[in-house]
Amino acid sequence: IRERVGGSIDVALDVVGGAMFMPLINALRQGGRYSISGCISGPLVQFDLRQLIYKDLQFTGATIAPPGTMKKIVRLIDQDLLKPLLAETFPLCKLAEAQEAFMAKKHVGNIVVTLS
C-alpha cells in the first residue's frame, strides 16, 4: 500500500478486514486512524498490540454514518483533501470482469464501474 500511494496514509477505511488488516495497519502513519465497517475477508486477525501503542493509532468501528457524512466525504474529495485509492476502473459493459477482479480479492483500493 505504501508503494502504491507513495508513503504512509493518514486514514484507513476498511470494509474487507481479514487479510487486508495488517497491510492497512502497516501503511498508517504515526497517529493514523483506522476505521472498519465490514469484514468480507474474515472477522479474525492477528495483531501485535505494540503497533497500536508505538504508532499511537486510533481505531474505530463504524456501523451507521451520521446524516450528511457522504456529502462531507464528496466535498473533501472535490477539494482534493481526500484521495480514495482506486485499484481499477471498468466500464459497465465489462461488469463481469469487475466482479471477477473483486472476487479474486487481490486488489488494493476500490474497484469502480463507470456508466461510460
Side-chain angles (χ1 to χ4, degrees), residues 14-89:
D14 189 2
V15 297
V16 178
M20 285 308 301
F21 179 76
M22 282 312 300
L24 288 169
I25 297 304
N26 291 334
L28 285 169
R29 68 164 172 78
Q30 182 82 19
R33 295 177 289 162
Y34 172 88
S35 182
I36 187 160
S37 62
C39 48
I40 61 174
S41 180
L44 302 178
V45 297
Q46 277 195 287
F47 179 59
D48 183 338
L49 288 171
R50 292 173 291 187
Q51 288 260 26
L52 178 63
I53 298 165
Y54 299 144
K55 288 179 82 175
D56 194 27
L57 301 176
Q58 297 177 29
F59 283 32
T60 58
T63 55
I64 300 175
T69 300
M70 284 306 295
K71 285 183 182 180
K72 290 178 186 176
I73 290 171
V74 170
R75 186 170 52 247
L76 290 171
I77 292 169
D78 286 344
Q79 295 170 348
D80 285 331
L81 298 173
L82 180 64
K83 294 178 174 89
L85 182 60
L86 300 180
E88 215 168 337
T89 302

